[in-house]
Amino acid sequence: MLKDLVNPSTFNVLVGKLEDVLVRAFDKPLGYAVNWGRLWSLWPVHLETACCSLEFGAASGPRYDVERFGIIEAFGSLRQCDLVVVQGTVTRKMAPRLRMIYDQMPDPKYVIAMGACAITGGLYFDSYNVLPGIDGIIPVDVYVPGCPPRPETLIQGCMLLQEKIKRSRFK
């Protein structure tokens, strides 16, 4: 019996089971606390190329004040941000840069596609150099429709993202 416990192959099984027990014991309370912190402190970086950036700026202003929803104003480096808001038309030349921005962000990271241009290509959907949506380059969590969407729509999209973060499992 003792030899079975000391045997390296069964020891790994015991460690594996211990890890499962610890994950189950701490997943709910710790996961809730970590997700609560994440959803109330979103740090966005925004890639703006069109008129949606004006609406994003208006949402950051005193009239709509997105900070009360836990979305901090866009500042800092990419390595501090966990949310990328893509606003406007994304061309094929910009696509590798968008992917590079996404790859530099730490995990977990979230993406909001804001406006018709970021979602479907918008007015330029049949152009040779415009992407028909950014979801072919990076995974999108929330789509904010409109051309350009109002700040209330952006706030609603952020609240949907917060619901998604709240329901996500802790890793």
Side-chain angles (χ1 to χ4, degrees):
M1 181 75 178
L2 186 59
K3 284 184 176 180
D4 292 337
L5 290 176
V6 178
N7 187 0
S9 64
T10 57
F11 181 72
N12 287 338
V13 171
L14 288 176
V15 171
K17 288 181 182 178
L18 179 63
E19 181 183 342
D20 291 343
V21 169
L22 289 175
V23 165
R24 277 190 224 132
F26 292 111
D27 185 31
K28 285 233 175 191
L30 188 62
Y32 177 80
V34 169
N35 285 342
W36 183 86
R38 285 179 181 157
L39 70 95
W40 292 113
S41 62
L42 290 171
W43 283 46
V45 59
H46 48 101
L47 181 74
E48 51 191 36
T49 59
C51 48
C52 292
S53 62
L54 298 174
E55 300 297 331
F56 185 83
S60 300
R63 183 171 183 178
Y64 295 101
D65 191 21
V66 291
E67 284 191 34
R68 64 189 160 124
F69 296 105
I71 303 158
I72 302 170
E73 299 241 357
F75 59 88
S77 76
L78 295 175
R79 290 170 185 88
Q80 297 170 335
C81 297
D82 58 354
L83 169 66
V84 60
V85 181
V86 180
Q87 310 154 2
T89 308
V90 178
T91 61
R92 295 190 190 283
K93 192 173 184 179
M94 293 168 51
R97 302 297 182 259
L98 176 61
R99 184 65 197 191
M100 185 180 71
I101 289 171
Y102 181 77
D103 289 340
Q104 286 185 356
M105 294 169 51
D107 285 328
K109 46 193 161 190
Y110 311 101
V111 177
I112 292 179
M114 181 178 176
C117 294
I119 296 172
T120 63
L123 297 172
Y124 316 104
F125 71 94
D126 58 349
S127 177
Y128 70 95
N129 63 344
V130 174
L131 288 179
I134 61 164
D135 50 359
I137 304 297
I138 54 176
V140 176
D141 294 304
V142 174
Y143 295 94
V144 178
C147 186
R150 301 252 326 138
E152 296 93 348
T153 315
L154 176 63
I155 291 171
Q156 183 182 10
C158 292
M159 292 172 77
L160 287 173
L161 179 63
Q162 288 174 333
E163 281 295 319
K164 185 176 181 177
I165 294 169
K166 185 191 268 183
R167 287 183 276 119
S168 67
R169 293 198 54 156
F170 175 66
K171 294 178 184 175

